[in-house]
Amino acid sequence: MKFTGKTISDMKPLNELLTRLTKLETTHVEYGYDDTPHKGSGLPISTLAAIHEYGWYSNPERDFMHQTDINMRLEYNSKFASDAEEYLYYGGNILSLYTNFGKLGTAMIKDTISAGNFVENSAMTIKLKGRNEPLVDTGELMNGAKYWVIKEPIK
């Protein structure tokens, strides 16, 4: 007697997982500043942020973006990993996942500036502004951070 038989494996769950992995690989979030003009100086707010981040002429370095990156890693790495794992296993909306990451990033920029762990303003700046709150003047820098969900791999 001749036996013939075959088994068909349902690969749909694995294919869905691979699709979600591809979306994770080809999408990312960025947060920071765009070229909206700063009301006080007329400079693009991204330029003003860079001047504060790296220092310029007599303005000292106030690396709030670098501090934000460190704070994000310290506070949210496990959350990012668990959220990504949940997305991989249970599906969901990739845009929603990265939007949440972007909101956390912009909130962390604000928290980092609010914490105020920076070099103090010069005596002249304090006299002009009437206070010593580095990076906090009009509130545009603290409240002006934005995020973008980008549908392409990180370069």
Side-chain angles (χ1 to χ4, degrees), residues 13-67:
L14 180 60
N15 289 335
E16 289 172 353
L17 177 63
L18 291 172
T19 299
R20 289 192 293 270
L21 276 169
T22 300
K23 285 182 181 179
L24 275 177
E25 182 181 52
T26 59
T27 307
H28 69 280
V29 66
E30 296 177 358
Y31 49 89
Y33 298 93
D34 64 9
D35 289 335
T36 301
H38 178 257
K39 291 180 183 120
S41 66
L43 292 170
I45 198 157
S46 57
T47 301
L48 184 64
I51 288 170
H52 284 295
E53 180 74 13
Y54 301 108
W56 191 48
Y57 291 107
S58 63
N59 294 317
E61 176 184 300
R62 294 185 173 117
D63 61 347
F64 70 101
M65 293 298 290
H66 180 71
Q67 287 183 35

Side-chain angles (χ1 to χ4, degrees), residues 15-146:
N15 289 335
E16 289 172 353
L17 177 63
L18 291 172
T19 299
R20 289 192 293 270
L21 276 169
T22 300
K23 285 182 181 179
L24 275 177
E25 182 181 52
T26 59
T27 307
H28 69 280
V29 66
E30 296 177 358
Y31 49 89
Y33 298 93
D34 64 9
D35 289 335
T36 301
H38 178 257
K39 291 180 183 120
S41 66
L43 292 170
I45 198 157
S46 57
T47 301
L48 184 64
I51 288 170
H52 284 295
E53 180 74 13
Y54 301 108
W56 191 48
Y57 291 107
S58 63
N59 294 317
E61 176 184 300
R62 294 185 173 117
D63 61 347
F64 70 101
M65 293 298 290
H66 180 71
Q67 287 183 35
T68 296
D69 183 49
I70 292 169
N71 293 339
M72 287 290 285
R73 291 169 194 257
L74 290 173
E75 290 189 33
Y76 293 120
N77 257 6
S78 62
K79 178 177 178 31
F80 294 157
S82 66
D83 287 358
E85 183 177 8
E86 184 176 319
Y87 166 76
L88 285 175
Y89 290 116
Y90 303 111
N93 184 327
I94 189 77
L95 183 60
S96 176
L97 177 71
Y98 281 112
T99 295
N100 289 337
F101 293 168
K103 287 178 181 178
L104 287 172
T106 56
M108 185 59 75
I109 289 172
K110 187 174 184 172
D111 290 348
T112 302
I113 291 173
S114 294
N117 298 323
F118 306 106
V119 174
E120 292 189 358
N121 284 328
S122 69
M124 182 181 72
T125 301
I126 294 169
K127 188 174 181 178
L128 285 170
K129 293 183 177 183
R131 63 187 182 285
N132 183 28
E133 296 176 293
L135 303 180
V136 180
D137 191 11
T138 64
E140 288 179 80
L141 192 63
M142 186 162 59
N143 298 310
K146 298 177 181 176

